[in-house]
């Protein structure tokens, strides 16, 4: 008999193409230049701020007590402000269920891991609170454990996967819009 895959494996497997689309969309930003880095942060801002605010409104404390320490929206706002960017006005999203919150958190926490690699390209004279916010391996392991604890049934995993796919799409679409805007400028 085959052992059931973990919730993380299900999320990873079922969102692989979505993750690849986001990686591809953001890989073209030149993080070494002020203009390229500013465009990268603007592309991050709308989806990131909207998703994090939706998670806040859902209030995941019952399933993820350390959520407040994982938040990075203020870091992103501060970096944008340092670059002379206006306060973003993200869309209003709703999470609605613990499974969806976990799917969204999975994407945001995964972006922290990816950001650690991207941060190496950002010159030290540019604001980097958001991209340099250090991934904590223990927090990632805690999240993986919570995914397995809370996403037990196929329906729960499907809800988390659907939310993760929606979040990945928000990020990819925002990057593509930002690139079109930069092509016009």
């Amino acid at each position: 008999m085959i052992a059931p895959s973990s919730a993380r494996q299900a999320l990873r497997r079922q969102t692989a193409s979505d993750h690849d689309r986001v990686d591809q969309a953001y890989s073209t930003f030149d993080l070494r230049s002020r203009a390229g880095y500013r465009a990268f942060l603007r592309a991050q801002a709308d989806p990131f701020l909207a998703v994090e605010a939706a998670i806040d409104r859902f209030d995941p404390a019952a399933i993820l007590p350390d959520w407040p320490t994982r938040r990075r929206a203020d870091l992103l706002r501060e970096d944008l402000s340092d670059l002379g960017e206006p306060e973003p006005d993200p869309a209003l999203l709703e999470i609605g269920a613990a499974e969806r919150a976990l799917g969204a958190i999975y994407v945001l926490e995964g972006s922290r891991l990816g950001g650690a690699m991207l941060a190496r390209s950002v010159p030290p004279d540019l604001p980097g609170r958001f991209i340099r916010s250090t991934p904590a391996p223990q927090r990632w392991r805690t999240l993986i454990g919570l995914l397995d604890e809370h996403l037990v049934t196929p329906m729960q995993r499907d809800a988390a996967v659907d939310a993760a796919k929606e979040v990945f799409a928000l990020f990819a679409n925002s990057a593509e819009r930002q690139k079109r805007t930069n092509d016009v400028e």
Side-chain angles (χ1 to χ4, degrees):
M1 181 172 169
I2 298 174
S5 65
S6 73
R8 176 183 177 233
Q9 290 170 330
L11 277 159
R12 188 173 170 189
R13 184 179 59 255
Q14 293 178 45
T15 63
S17 63
D18 306 279
H19 186 248
D20 290 346
R21 179 180 173 213
V22 168
D23 281 352
Q24 180 61 40
Y26 282 91
S27 69
T28 60
F29 289 99
D30 180 6
L31 303 183
R32 296 168 304 204
S33 77
R34 185 175 190 84
Y37 183 57
R38 180 186 299 121
F40 170 84
L41 289 179
R42 282 194 313 236
Q44 289 278 318
D46 285 338
F48 192 92
L49 297 176
V51 171
E52 193 170 278
I55 294 166
D56 282 344
R57 282 189 303 281
F58 172 75
D59 189 14
I63 56 172
L64 190 63
D66 70 343
W67 169 246
T69 65
R70 294 171 182 262
R71 297 183 80 254
R72 295 185 291 153
D74 289 342
L75 302 175
L76 180 53
R77 285 186 187 97
E78 290 172 19
D79 286 350
L80 287 168
S81 176
D82 287 353
L83 291 169
E85 287 295 313
E87 174 81 20
D89 187 22
L92 183 63
L93 300 176
E94 291 301 323
I95 294 291
E99 297 83 9
R100 292 184 54 76
L102 286 169
I105 292 167
Y106 167 80
V107 176
L108 295 188
E109 285 296 300
S111 76
R112 184 189 305 261
L113 298 173
M117 291 191 306
L118 294 175
R120 297 178 203 151
S121 300
V122 178
D125 63 319
L126 293 176
R129 295 171 199 90
F130 174 72
I131 200 165
R132 292 185 185 108
S133 62
T134 308
Q138 182 55 42
R139 279 192 289 204
W140 180 250
R141 286 190 295 274
T142 298
L143 177 62
I144 298 311
L146 289 171
L147 294 174
D148 286 335
E149 180 181 330
H150 291 281
L151 305 176
V152 179
T153 69
M155 207 158 64
Q156 290 169 326
R157 288 185 182 174
D158 288 348
V161 167
D162 288 346
K165 286 177 160 292
E166 290 168 20
V167 172
F168 277 125
L170 291 172
F171 277 97
N173 292 340
S174 183
E176 291 160 3
R177 265 192 318 278
Q178 186 62 48
K179 284 190 282 190
R180 285 193 302 273
T181 300
N182 282 351
D183 289 344
V184 173
E185 292 177 353

